[in-house]
Amino acid sequence: MKRDQQKIQTRKNLFQAAIELFNYKGVQKTKVTDIAKEANVSTGTFYIHFKSKEDIISAIYYEDFNNYMCGNIQKINQLDLDCKKALLEIGILELKFAKNVGIEVTTIAL
């Protein structure tokens, strides 16, 4: 795996580890060391990608949400729905994302 690909994969692993731990333990009880351990990286590697626990929360919400929505909105566009139905589908996608990452992460990131 090339270095750029490895960095992207490490970041994804950190996102997933953080989401799992936040949903299981809660944000307050989850430490950066827990996230790094769950992602199988060193704490130093965590800090290469993120400044803090709050930083990864923002990144999960804004970056991951953006990627999730972009991919899914393309699918909605292909359905050729009227505006009302398309907006309803987009709202459902937002709720699914919030459920996946956890309400706590969603509300903290906002």
Side-chain angles (χ1 to χ4, degrees):
M1 185 181 303
K2 292 183 179 181
R3 187 163 171 80
D4 288 343
Q5 293 170 324
Q6 187 177 13
K7 285 176 76 173
I8 291 168
Q9 187 60 51
T10 298
R11 193 170 176 90
K12 285 180 183 178
N13 292 347
L14 286 165
F15 274 3
Q16 192 57 42
I19 290 167
E20 288 176 20
L21 289 167
F22 293 154
N23 283 318
Y24 178 70
K25 295 172 71 171
V27 171
Q28 292 293 348
K29 292 182 181 175
T30 300
K31 299 178 178 130
V32 168
T33 55
D34 299 331
I35 297 168
K37 183 177 179 182
E38 183 72 21
N40 293 316
V41 298
S42 69
T43 304
T45 298
F46 175 92
Y47 285 111
I48 289 171
H49 293 271
F50 305 101
K51 296 175 190 168
S52 64
K53 183 169 63 171
E54 292 74 19
D55 191 33
I56 195 170
I57 290 169
S58 290
I60 288 168
Y61 187 77
Y62 292 104
E63 288 176 37
D64 217 21
F65 180 71
N66 184 50
N67 293 336
Y68 173 81
M69 291 303 286
C70 284
N72 283 293
I73 286 175
Q74 288 177 353
K75 293 175 190 173
I76 291 172
N77 285 339
Q78 292 173 352
L79 298 175
D80 197 33
L81 302 173
D82 65 45
C83 185
K84 185 177 177 181
K85 288 180 182 176
L87 287 173
L88 179 62
E89 289 297 319
I90 290 168
I92 290 169
L93 286 173
E94 289 181 33
L95 291 172
K96 286 180 180 179
F97 180 83
K99 182 180 178 189
N100 180 52
V101 300
I103 299 300
E104 189 176 13
V105 168
T106 303
T107 55
I108 290 171
L110 297 175

